[in-house]
Amino acid sequence: MRNNLSDQLTVDDMARAAMFSKFHFTRIFQRVTGVSPGRFLSAIRLQEAKRLLVTTRLNVTDISIRVGYNSVGTFSTRFTKSVGLSPTTYRRMGGYTRRIPTLQTSTGYGTVRGRITAGSQGTSPGLIFMGLFQHRIPEGAPTRCAIRDEPGPFRFTDVPDGSWYLLCHAVSGEVLRLQQKNVMVATAGPLIVRDRQVINLDIQLKPVSKLDPPVLLALLDARKAAYERQFTAATEAIAA
């Protein structure tokens, strides 16, 4: 997949390369990665587009072709829906956003709580983004989200009824933008929330692997987020 993003790959092509039947290949792939081959391919295409936007001067049309889209309009629509910014805005902002928007849903009553830990003792994973998403791929707007400065307890309240995935990724300063090896991730789900249910979880961050779906959201600007958190805390202290 990763070496042939500009080609019009089909599930049949992938299954043939793996020497499996289409249906057997799809079952195995989804069991290992948590998503279908088609959705995984779409995700890594958009991830490569993110990289090209911030590391090259190629125009949006050329980038869309390089990652397998024949229509720049279709590419821009899918990129914006998944990443949260248009390709042009994403490039202008250097791949960062100041805030992660959440879904506009009716007030819920469920609670998802627990503790998140880092894989290696003494290792600081950096700023940790945690969000409840409808699907296994971290794209689009989460229904609830939070930013943690370090591993520890977390709590999401007023979670709407439904099926959710808790998807987490940790960033360390500037390094995440271009280097996948510096990303740590954690996943739990599907979590079925019903009737004021409280779900307890313990999840652990681990280095991202090639089998993990890419994080398609625009990255939170850690510096601005940290500054805003410090400013809010100082303002509240003064008011108190």
Side-chain angles (χ1 to χ4, degrees), residues 129-197:
F129 170 79
M130 308 181 71
L132 289 170
F133 293 84
Q134 292 178 313
H135 305 290
R136 173 67 179 78
I137 297 176
E139 63 179 341
T143 186
R144 298 289 183 269
C145 67
I147 307 296
R148 286 195 54 85
D149 297 315
E150 60 186 11
F154 64 87
R155 182 184 181 90
F156 294 103
T157 58
D158 297 331
V159 178
D161 287 355
S163 177
W164 307 102
Y165 287 86
L166 177 59
L167 305 176
C168 315
H169 69 271
V171 305
S172 181
E174 299 284 345
V175 297
L176 172 59
R177 185 171 67 176
L178 303 179
Q179 301 181 40
Q180 280 289 97
K181 65 181 181 180
N182 294 305
V183 186
M184 296 187 76
V185 297
T187 303
L191 310 173
I192 309 301
V193 178
R194 292 283 187 273
D195 301 326
R196 303 178 184 270
Q197 184 178 7

Side-chain angles (χ1 to χ4, degrees), residues 180-221:
Q180 280 289 97
K181 65 181 181 180
N182 294 305
V183 186
M184 296 187 76
V185 297
T187 303
L191 310 173
I192 309 301
V193 178
R194 292 283 187 273
D195 301 326
R196 303 178 184 270
Q197 184 178 7
V198 177
I199 296 177
N200 295 288
L201 296 171
D202 286 317
I203 56 177
Q204 186 176 36
L205 289 164
K206 64 178 181 63
V208 68
S209 75
K210 291 184 178 181
L211 298 177
D212 290 306
V215 176
L216 295 184
L217 291 178
L219 301 177
L220 187 73
D221 190 319

Side-chain angles (χ1 to χ4, degrees), residues 68-106:
Y69 286 87
N70 293 325
S71 166
V72 66
T74 299
F75 165 72
S76 295
T77 298
R78 291 184 180 175
F79 188 97
T80 302
K81 182 178 179 181
S82 295
V83 177
L85 301 172
S86 70
T88 302
T89 303
Y90 184 85
R91 167 173 276 171
R92 176 169 52 82
M93 298 181 69
Y96 290 110
T97 184
R98 294 188 64 179
R99 290 181 178 82
I100 303 295
T102 55
L103 289 172
Q104 299 300 311
T105 59
S106 58

